[in-house]
Amino acid sequence: MLRKTHHSARRKAALAAASLALASVSGANAANQLPLQPDVVFDDSVVLGRVSDIATDSSGNVYVLDSGFHSIHVYTNDGTFVRSIGGEGDGPGEFRMPRALAIDSHDRIYVAGASDRITVMDTVGNGIRTVLRRRNEIIRSMRFGTERHGTEGDLFLTYLDPENHNTIHRMSQPLEDGEVTLSFCDSYAAGKDVDPRTEQVYGGGFIDIAADGRLWYLQMTPQRVRVFEPDGRVVAEHDVRFQERDAPPEPDQTRGSVVFTAPPLATKIVALSDGRFLVTEVYGSETERYSLVDLYDANGRRQGSEKRELGFAVVWADEKDRVYSVEETEDERIRVVRYVVVE
């Protein structure tokens, strides 16, 4: 999601100026600002590469999935670094091309991404098992169901099934066989004549599960939030920022290779316990880049926004509705910051 980058002197100057203008996070009554107050800045003694996901365990410890270094960095609730676990490979407690992280009610850690397996380990990194998947599409996000909705232990994943054009999939216990027991949520390409390669690039999305057990899904193209019951029934739909976004252009094949025009990347959705939700997007290219985070109420009305020229992505909310972000600093480091929502 966010990774360490290198900039020219001109780019650094622009970033520094932008960061001075946008560094402060204001209270709930400030116009067009997120109602977030910094709570903990996590220990940055460990260099982070590319952070893809964050999760917390039953004791409040924080796990940061670093795809760049094929590691999970573990912190205490107050942001103190404890250890790094995992590694690149196919052995116990190892993974390849990770994108998504989830922790179940027994504090078992699950890691998945652009490979044919889900790695399961304990909190100190010992491998417990490997779940071999029946499909090899990229898992962008995954979350466990809740006891309140009777789905505790069920693992919900987002990946594009190009044959059936759906994007949310459920694995029920036992998970060892990798069997999908339910698939739902149509891709934007369902019922349309869309090049399969285009759908593979643009057809995904991201998920979060609120305390009430409902699933919040952010569809990338066109950008829309859909809320589901765990059985796949739609209970709400919200058009969010840039409602005019239509299907992406077909790939350009005029130069002898397939070239996709990348749209803004909707990187995460985070659901709060009261029905509000946050959407993060990262836009740009090598010469221009910015991040945008919006907060919406339960009816899909935008309550606040923050734009930064530096990387900024809200990734996770814990059971107390404290939200965890991944942020780029002026000296090009990546750090994790926890915020509380100001009422």
Side-chain angles (χ1 to χ4, degrees):
M1 177 182 298
L2 294 183
R3 59 188 176 194
K4 187 176 180 180
T5 57
H6 299 281
H7 307 286
S8 66
R10 184 176 179 181
R11 174 67 173 154
K12 287 181 179 179
L15 290 176
S19 65
L20 289 174
L22 296 166
S24 63
V25 179
S26 65
N29 295 323
N32 205 36
Q33 284 286 327
L34 290 176
L36 301 179
Q37 177 178 303
D39 180 35
V40 174
V41 177
F42 281 62
D43 181 359
D44 63 357
S45 61
V46 175
V47 176
L48 301 179
R50 182 168 58 249
V51 174
S52 298
D53 212 349
I54 295 174
T56 51
D57 66 15
S58 62
S59 299
N61 297 309
V62 181
Y63 298 76
V64 176
L65 176 61
D66 188 337
S67 301
F69 294 128
H70 289 83
S71 298
I72 298 173
H73 307 300
V74 186
Y75 301 83
T76 61
N77 187 53
D78 64 1
T80 302
F81 174 73
V82 178
R83 67 177 73 89
S84 294
I85 60 177
E88 185 176 12
D90 299 317
E94 297 177 332
F95 37 80
R96 294 186 185 275
M97 297 176 285
R99 298 287 187 87
L101 175 70
I103 300 177
D104 69 13
S105 59
H106 300 286
D107 287 340
R108 292 176 294 222
I109 302 167
Y110 294 69
V111 183
S115 72
D116 64 348
R117 62 195 58 209
I118 301 173
T119 299
V120 187
M121 66 181 78
D122 63 20
T123 55
V124 295
N126 296 316
I128 297 175
R129 64 177 177 269
T130 298
V131 178
L132 293 177
R133 300 171 55 211
R134 305 293 178 89
R135 306 195 65 91
N136 200 31
E137 284 78 17
I138 297 172
I139 294 175
R140 297 184 185 273
S141 58
M142 59 182 180
R143 296 288 184 261
F144 275 95
T146 66
E147 180 181 7
R148 179 174 174 180
H149 230 298
T151 56
E152 181 180 9
D154 288 350
L155 182 61
F156 292 86
L157 315 98
T158 60
Y159 62 83
L160 174 66
D161 177 352
E163 295 177 6
N164 299 305
H165 304 288
N166 48 38
T167 57
I168 301 179
H169 313 273
R170 184 182 71 194
M171 290 183 180
S172 301
Q173 296 291 351
L175 303 176
E176 287 85 348
D177 61 4
E179 185 71 30
V180 171
T181 56
L182 179 66
S183 294
F184 55 97
C185 186
D186 287 343
S187 162
Y188 83 94
K192 301 182 180 69
D193 183 16
V194 174
D195 187 314
R197 295 168 298 179
T198 306
E199 187 182 12
Q200 287 281 4
V201 173
Y202 302 112
F206 300 85
I207 194 175
D208 198 16
I209 297 182
D212 64 2
R214 290 180 171 179
L215 288 71
W216 294 74
Y217 176 75
L218 175 61
Q219 176 178 284
M220 292 175 62
T221 307
Q223 194 180 59
R224 180 172 295 121
V225 170
R226 282 181 271 179
V227 186
F228 294 91
E229 297 287 358
D231 61 6
R233 287 177 294 144
V234 178
V235 295
E237 291 194 44
H238 306 297
D239 285 324
V240 289
R241 184 182 287 270
F242 301 108
Q243 299 174 19
E244 72 278 5
R245 187 181 304 157
D246 296 319
E250 290 294 305
D252 178 6
Q253 303 182 60
T254 60
R255 289 174 286 178
S257 61
V258 179
V259 178
F260 292 92
T261 303
L265 298 177
T267 55
K268 286 290 180 180
I269 182 168
V270 172
L272 302 179
S273 61
D274 60 2
R276 289 182 292 176
F277 59 96
L278 294 117
V279 171
T280 294
E281 298 178 306
V282 178
Y283 293 79
S285 62
E286 291 296 323
T287 58
E288 181 182 8
R289 180 168 57 89
Y290 65 91
S291 304
L292 185 66
V293 178
D294 292 322
L295 174 67
Y296 296 86
D297 67 17
N299 296 312
R301 294 187 294 260
R302 191 161 63 247
Q303 291 187 313
S305 302
E306 183 157 354
K307 176 182 176 182
R308 296 189 189 181
E309 300 301 320
L310 296 168
F312 176 43
V314 175
V315 179
W316 172 256
D318 63 22
E319 60 182 9
K320 297 180 180 179
D321 277 348
R322 297 175 298 190
V323 299
Y324 297 73
S325 70
V326 184
E327 305 181 8
E328 182 183 6
T329 65
E330 292 179 39
D331 60 357
E332 300 182 18
R333 292 176 64 87
I334 302 297
R335 68 180 185 180
V336 175
V337 181
R338 186 174 72 207
Y339 293 88
V340 293
V341 181
V342 180
E343 301 299 338

